[in-house]
Amino acid sequence: MTHGNTPPTVITQERPPGLKPGDVLSAPLRMEFDYTRSVGPIIGKFLTGLRERRIFGNRGSDGRVLVPPAEFDPVTSEPLSEFVEVATTGTVKSWTWVRDVLPGQPFDRPFAYALIQLDGADTALLHAVDVRSPEQISTGMQVTVRWAEELTGTIHDIACFEPGDAPTAEPAAASDAEPVTMITTPIGMDYKHTASPEESAFLRGLKEGKLIGGRADANSKVYFPPRGVDPVDGRSTADMVELAESGTVTTFCVVNVPFMGQRLKPPYVAAYVLLDGADIPFLHLVLGIDADKVRMGMRVKVVWKPREEWGHTMANIDHFEPTGEPDADYDTYKHHL
């Protein structure tokens, strides 16, 4: 363990065999980011066509017309370049009914997804079909594109398909806009996270402005954040240990490169901090000092966010800053690099 003036406080947590719902914390979480990519000349032609209410496929070496177009021939693996415009009407080849609708899907009510072979194509395109019940769709049914009101050069330009055998709109007038070369797709996942008893104790501690680690017994390593079991011998880490708000920088990185969503202007430092009384460092920001002055062994302390902003989250710790103490001796943290 690292040096410190005050020994860690031990909080024994009894864990009964049958946990009650209130013993652990849980919360809905959402992970999301915008995925931006270049589309290349093949998909770019397809998306640019959609922006003009036109649908393009391409011809493979076996004569089949592939929609959406493929970059490489599925038979020979050679690059493909011959584009073919197909109709905006087609035939349902297979379908499935969506009873339980999820956020972000084309409709806020039950609908169908179908594989649709457009007239003039030899492969099927997956998209939504606007029907009110399973009885209103069948394999072999004729459908037609319903175009979005605003055309942006994405697959969403096809709002959905609807029953019918005639186009619903004429192609858009020729545009001087540049061909589509990039797309940005929002990616998101919603899930419910249920914390372990040890993680729940850790999160409740943060809500109270305390740093809680866990260990199997007085002779075991102290882990921060705590783990469900000691990875050394698999024993339950039932002893909760309140740690000091000071620690030692073991290793660090100076962030010089800007990136999307960055809340700090480079350069700044992300460092592994070994709290006094703990046996494993954790990653956090070190601020309040020029980035080129941060060093291994530097003594730092927690800077909390305002109390009214505290929740069950590590974000309660805004950053670490230097304590002004002499640097820790290398031997006190050399096994924690």
Side-chain angles (χ1 to χ4, degrees):
M1 297 183 184
T2 55
H3 68 282
N5 296 326
T6 305
T9 302
V10 178
I11 309 169
T12 302
Q13 174 183 280
E14 299 294 336
R15 291 201 300 160
L19 292 174
K20 299 177 183 178
D23 293 336
V24 295
L25 296 172
S26 63
L29 298 177
R30 178 169 179 78
M31 180 174 63
E32 60 184 346
F33 63 95
D34 288 340
Y35 177 58
T36 301
R37 56 158 288 189
S38 59
V39 295
I42 303 300
I43 300 301
K45 174 74 171 181
F46 175 70
L47 297 177
T48 301
L50 293 181
R51 195 174 63 190
E52 300 172 354
R53 299 196 196 99
R54 304 168 69 188
I55 300 178
F56 287 94
N58 55 7
R59 194 181 305 279
S61 62
D62 57 1
R64 293 187 305 151
V65 175
L66 313 174
V67 178
E71 293 181 301
F72 298 95
D73 193 296
V75 177
T76 67
S77 300
E78 293 296 317
L80 294 177
S81 58
E82 181 186 350
F83 291 101
V84 179
E85 185 172 359
V86 300
T88 59
T89 55
T91 304
V92 172
K93 307 301 289 185
S94 64
W95 58 276
T96 186
W97 187 248
V98 181
R99 184 191 63 186
D100 300 318
V101 180
L102 299 175
Q105 289 185 325
F107 299 97
D108 58 2
R109 54 170 172 77
F111 66 98
Y113 271 124
L115 286 171
I116 299 164
Q117 185 173 326
L118 295 173
D119 298 334
D122 295 290
T123 60
L125 171 76
L126 177 66
H127 217 295
V129 180
D130 184 7
V131 287
R132 295 282 178 167
S133 71
E135 290 72 30
Q136 294 181 344
I137 187 170
S138 60
T139 300
M141 187 174 77
Q142 296 296 296
V143 292
T144 185
V145 170
R146 180 191 299 165
W147 295 100
E149 292 185 6
E150 181 181 0
L151 303 175
T152 59
T154 72
I155 191 61
H156 301 293
D157 289 347
I158 300 178
C160 65
F161 283 78
E162 61 185 46
D165 57 6
T168 59
E170 295 295 324
S175 170
D176 295 332
E178 293 293 322
V180 177
T181 59
M182 303 286 290
I183 57 172
T184 299
T185 303
I187 305 295
M189 181 176 67
D190 292 287
Y191 62 100
K192 180 180 180 180
H193 175 68
T194 299
S196 67
E198 293 79 13
E199 185 184 2
S200 294
F202 164 72
L203 294 173
R204 287 192 176 100
L206 288 172
K207 181 75 163 109
E208 299 172 0
K210 300 177 181 179
L211 305 179
I212 305 297
R215 67 183 182 183
D217 60 32
N219 298 314
S220 302
K221 293 183 180 296
V222 176
Y223 296 94
F224 180 87
R227 303 179 180 183
V229 296
D230 190 321
V232 174
D233 53 25
R235 288 184 298 156
S236 171
T237 53
D239 283 345
M240 298 290 101
V241 179
E242 183 176 346
L243 300 170
E245 296 185 7
S246 56
T248 301
V249 172
T250 59
T251 57
F252 65 94
C253 169
V254 179
V255 180
N256 289 297
V257 179
F259 54 85
M260 187 176 297
Q262 198 171 32
R263 67 182 184 91
L264 295 176
K265 183 179 179 180
Y268 60 90
V269 172
Y272 277 96
V273 177
L274 185 65
L275 293 175
D276 296 339
D279 291 286
I280 186 170
F282 75 105
L283 186 66
H284 216 293
L285 298 171
V286 174
L287 305 176
I289 184 174
D290 292 339
D292 61 356
K293 298 295 192 301
V294 176
R295 56 201 178 273
M296 294 171 63
M298 188 174 72
R299 297 283 295 157
V300 292
K301 62 182 179 181
V302 169
V303 176
W304 297 93
K305 287 185 176 179
R307 180 177 289 272
E308 60 270 18
E309 297 180 18
W310 288 0
H312 295 94
T313 170
M314 184 76 86
N316 295 355
I317 301 174
D318 188 76
H319 62 274
F320 282 78
E321 67 179 11
T323 65
E325 301 173 273
D327 290 356
D329 187 81
Y330 178 71
D331 286 341
T332 65
Y333 63 90
K334 66 181 180 181
H335 296 299
H336 304 282
L337 302 178

